Amino acid sequence: QVQLVESGGGLVQPGGSLRLSCSASGSIFSINIMNWYRQAPGKDRESVASVTSGGTKDYADSVKGRFTISRDNAKNTVYLQMNNLKPEDSAVYYCNVRLLKRPGQRDEYWGQGTQVTVSS
C-alpha cells in the first residue's frame, strides 16, 4: 500500500503565502507524475499544477506566476509554494501521484486534502 501525507494548509490574508507538502511512502518502485488539485465548495475538482519525474512542470492559467511546484525525488515529496494568494484560491488542496508499485504495475493515489483559506 501507498500513503500520501499532506501538510501546510491554513488561513492566510490576501497577498500572503503558504507552502504545501505531500510525502509518499510505502510500496513504491518509481513515481512518474506528481500533481496538485483543488476543489472549492460547489465546484469541480481542478488541476492546479503538475511535475513529471523529469522535471517538466505545468500550471493552471489561474495560478501561473504565483504558484511554484517542485519535487524532491529522494524523499518522494512534492511541494506547492503559493504566493500572492487570492480569495478565489480558497479550496481543499489534494496531492495526487501516479506511480509504479513494481515494473509494469501502475497505480494512482490521492492525499487526504488540506484546507487553504484566503480571507481578510
Side-chain angles (χ1 to χ4, degrees), residues 52-64:
T52 68
S53 57
T56 300
K57 301 176 183 181
D58 193 28
Y59 297 93
D61 288 343
S62 59
V63 307
K64 282 180 181 177

Side-chain angles (χ1 to χ4, degrees), residues 71-91:
R71 64 189 279 176
D72 184 333
N73 291 327
K75 296 181 179 179
N76 287 338
T77 298
V78 62
Y79 305 95
L80 186 68
Q81 177 67 44
M82 305 184 292
N83 298 328
N84 190 21
L85 282 159
K86 304 176 180 181
E88 52 264 40
D89 295 317
S90 297

Side-chain angles (χ1 to χ4, degrees), residues 82-103:
M82 305 184 292
N83 298 328
N84 190 21
L85 282 159
K86 304 176 180 181
E88 52 264 40
D89 295 317
S90 297
V92 178
Y93 283 70
Y94 296 92
C95 171
N96 167 272
V97 298
R98 296 164 198 172
L99 52 81
L100 291 176
K101 298 182 73 174
R102 57 182 60 88

Side-chain angles (χ1 to χ4, degrees), residues 1-78:
Q1 190 57 283
V2 174
Q3 296 81 38
L4 300 183
V5 177
E6 300 180 29
S7 62
L11 173 65
V12 64
Q13 292 186 342
S17 298
L18 284 174
R19 188 191 195 212
L20 306 183
S21 300
C22 173
S23 295
S25 62
S27 180
I28 299 171
F29 177 74
S30 67
I31 297 178
N32 180 13
I33 187 166
M34 306 184 85
N35 306 284
W36 287 100
Y37 286 78
R38 67 186 180 187
Q39 187 168 20
K43 295 189 177 181
D44 293 334
R45 188 172 296 189
E46 63 174 352
S47 176
V48 175
S50 64
V51 58
T52 68
S53 57
T56 300
K57 301 176 183 181
D58 193 28
Y59 297 93
D61 288 343
S62 59
V63 307
K64 282 180 181 177
R66 300 188 297 120
F67 289 12
T68 302
I69 190 170
S70 61
R71 64 189 279 176
D72 184 333
N73 291 327
K75 296 181 179 179
N76 287 338
T77 298
V78 62

